Every structure is written in C-alpha cells, then in structure tokens.
Amino acid sequence: MSVQSGALSRSRRAVKRPLLDVVAEVLLAQPGASLAEVAEAAGISRTTLHKHYATRDELVRAVGVRATDIWEQAVDRVADKPGTEAGLRELLAAMIESGPQLAFLWRNPVLDGDHELIQRYIDVENRCLAVLDRARKQGLLAASTPDWWLLQTMHALVYTAAEAVHDGKLAPLDAPDLALRTLLHGLGARGVQEASA
C-alpha cells in the first residue's frame, strides 16, 4: 500500500483508529520507519509506544498477530455459508476493508520466522480455500483452477482493491463488487468468452 511521505495525512490522523492499524500503514509505506516516526504518525509519544512495545520486533509481531486475527474474523463471517456469490462477496468485502493489515502480513518477511504466525496463516489460508472450493463445487469458479492460483488471485484482487480504495480511485462500497466480478468472470468481454466457448 502506498502512503504519502509523512506517513499519514493530518486528516487521517484526526480519525481515532487502533494503534496497530496505524502502525501497519506506516510500516507498509516506510518499512524502515523509526519507532519515533511510528509514534508520531499514531499521535502518541515514543515513550507511550515503548510502554506497550519495548522493541520494534515486538511491535511488528503485534501488527502481524492483529492482521491474522482480522483475517480469521473475515473468514469466520462466511465459514458456514454455502459457496454463493453473496458469501464470496462478503469474504472479499471483509478482506478489502482490512487491506493495510493483510498487506502488512503478506509483504513482511520479518514474520516468516514466527512459527506460530506461520501456522495461523496456513490455517486461515486453508479456510479461505474451503470457501473458494465450495464456490467451485457450486460452479461459480472453474473446476480446473489449481488451489494455489485461486488463493493468489483472491489475494491479488483484495490487495489491489484495498489499495485503490486507499488511493481514492475506487469507492469502498464498489470495491467488493469489482473484485467479485473479476474473480468470477475475469477481464474478458462476455461476447468474446461466449464466442470461444
């Protein structure tokens, strides 16, 4: 995700958001940001930040844990629903809304050595795949599509939609529908698809 230099604009700082969400955005935009810069972007003192997280590693892990929690909650919302378009849209909407946190999780190699987070990541990814597989069994997604491609495509759509919302290119309410249409139908014109079938 791209965040303006200065980490966050004043207008965004005015909205009270959880500290770890601000940290995710700052570290995505400026991976080398100091704890002082992170604290400033969050509107708190460095001392206050250190009271909660003594080291940068602790802070990064806390953001990773929060991102994983959010991802699990997004999947929980649709876990018991059949593989319907509405269920897929709901999953995409929840994940797009959590875009900065998920982007932090997906793009942060520092977390690759955390075995507990890796296991949780694998578990939630498998749960996402179960949702996609139900949609595949309902005929919404091509049966021949490999599992890894389904997951990577969904991740790419979530990431791109969340970034477009963040940058003001896409309205938040339109993002899940655009991502869902692209997941289900790709970018080809229907006439072209029908002619080649």
Side-chain angles (χ1 to χ4, degrees):
M1 300 246 132
S2 56
V3 179
Q4 305 288 326
S5 64
L8 296 171
S9 68
R10 290 180 189 260
S11 62
R12 298 221 38 203
R13 271 193 260 172
V15 177
K16 188 72 173 166
R17 296 182 303 136
L19 171 64
L20 295 177
D21 292 352
V22 175
V23 173
E25 284 192 23
V26 172
L27 294 179
L28 273 174
Q30 300 171 5
S34 69
L35 291 181
E37 291 170 319
V38 170
E40 180 185 346
I44 60 175
S45 71
R46 186 174 176 184
T47 304
T48 301
L49 183 61
H50 275 293
K51 284 180 185 175
H52 296 287
Y53 307 100
T55 66
R56 182 185 178 85
D57 287 345
E58 283 182 25
L59 179 61
V60 168
R61 185 177 194 285
V63 175
V65 168
R66 174 158 169 78
T68 305
D69 290 344
I70 289 170
W71 193 8
E72 289 169 342
Q73 291 164 12
V75 178
D76 285 346
R77 293 184 199 176
V78 298
D80 298 327
K81 296 183 180 181
T84 63
E85 282 192 42
L88 283 175
R89 186 194 182 283
E90 193 171 332
L91 176 61
L92 289 167
M95 290 177 69
I96 290 167
E97 184 179 323
S98 312
Q101 293 83 10
L102 293 178
F104 180 88
L105 184 63
W106 293 337
R107 290 178 41 194
N108 201 317
V110 173
L111 300 173
D112 290 347
D114 189 316
H115 300 296
E116 179 189 341
L117 273 180
I118 289 171
Q119 189 55 57
R120 287 182 66 197
Y121 182 103
I122 291 168
D123 291 345
V124 73
E125 194 168 64
N126 285 335
R127 291 175 60 214
C128 279
L129 184 57
V131 172
L132 293 169
D133 194 47
R134 286 197 303 268
R136 189 165 38 193
K137 287 175 180 167
Q138 294 291 326
L140 294 172
L141 299 167
S144 61
T145 307
D147 291 350
W148 66 269
W149 186 254
L150 278 176
L151 284 168
Q152 292 301 308
T153 301
M154 183 183 69
H155 289 182
L157 289 170
V158 166
Y159 180 87
T160 303
E163 188 167 75
V165 168
H166 179 271
D167 292 343
K169 296 176 183 174
L170 184 59
L173 293 178
D174 293 339
D177 292 322
L178 181 57
L180 180 63
R181 270 198 319 273
T182 306
L183 181 65
L184 296 180
H185 307 293
L187 298 174
R190 287 185 183 263
V192 173
Q193 290 174 344
E194 291 166 2
S196 64

